[in-house]
Amino acid sequence: IGVNVPVTVQTRGGLQSMSIGAKVSYAPPEIDFVEPDYLIAGSTEQVLVITVMDAGQDPNAPIEASVDNVACMTVFLDVHASAIECLLADTFPFGVVSKTLVVAVSVAGQRSQPMNIELIGQPSVLLVNPSTAPTQGMGSALAAPVIVVGTNFGRQASDVVSVTVGGVPSPRV
């Protein structure tokens, strides 16, 4: 792994070639995919698994991974799975507005082509249907289901952790 790596040949007799400048550069790592392919703004300690090709087999090779030029706190390479685990910091510096984030990997000084993932920004409620619903008593939860329509709720049900109406938690999300 690396750039301008010297090439030597050793014979059965134990003699080794003299280096006269013959060197080779390995292909840079290539990001195959990133899981998950999105992050939720405001979340802490998010982990990305970056699957790479051409990362080499040397577990001691220096590895760096970044999201929007912010270095991952912890980077771990599983050479058998060609997967890099990237732990992002508690202080999530990407803001609250939806945007594209750039993921990049560097192995032994060779940088991959970037891959984009999505930052899902602050959620916004646009519509509630029906707009009038009975309650289960004074200041309690709604007695009938309502449909909440909006943006940036995430991509899967587990991305939404709670819904409140007038500060009262909804029993079902």
Side-chain angles (χ1 to χ4, degrees), residues 19-37:
S19 179
I20 57 171
K23 296 182 180 188
V24 67
S25 294
Y26 288 88
E30 207 175 301
I31 298 174
D32 196 22
F33 63 90
V34 179
E35 181 66 33
D37 63 352

Side-chain angles (χ1 to χ4, degrees), residues 15-166:
L15 298 176
Q16 190 168 341
S17 65
M18 294 177 47
S19 179
I20 57 171
K23 296 182 180 188
V24 67
S25 294
Y26 288 88
E30 207 175 301
I31 298 174
D32 196 22
F33 63 90
V34 179
E35 181 66 33
D37 63 352
Y38 68 99
L39 297 174
I40 303 283
S43 297
T44 59
E45 289 199 10
Q46 296 194 61
V47 175
L48 293 176
V49 176
I50 307 164
T51 303
V52 294
M53 296 184 301
D54 295 329
Q57 296 295 314
D58 183 358
N60 299 316
I63 301 165
E64 296 174 354
S66 64
V67 178
D68 255 23
N69 292 317
V70 175
C72 298
M73 279 184 7
T74 304
V75 178
F76 170 75
L77 172 65
D78 178 344
V79 294
H80 301 293
S82 294
I84 295 173
E85 202 170 275
C86 164
L87 174 63
L88 295 166
D90 291 342
T91 55
F92 198 67
F94 306 117
V96 296
V97 177
S98 293
K99 65 180 180 178
T100 299
L101 300 175
V102 178
V103 176
V105 170
S106 177
V107 178
Q110 290 185 285
R111 193 164 173 85
S112 69
Q113 289 294 318
M115 179 171 275
N116 295 337
I117 63 172
E118 179 185 4
L119 175 66
I120 297 176
Q122 185 171 5
S124 177
V125 175
L126 303 175
L127 173 76
V128 178
N129 188 16
S131 59
T132 305
T135 64
Q136 295 176 350
M138 191 82 164
S140 65
L142 295 175
V146 295
I147 297 172
V148 178
V149 178
T151 60
N152 297 334
F153 294 166
R155 291 195 183 163
Q156 50 193 357
S158 62
D159 289 338
V160 175
V161 294
S162 73
V163 175
T164 61
V165 178

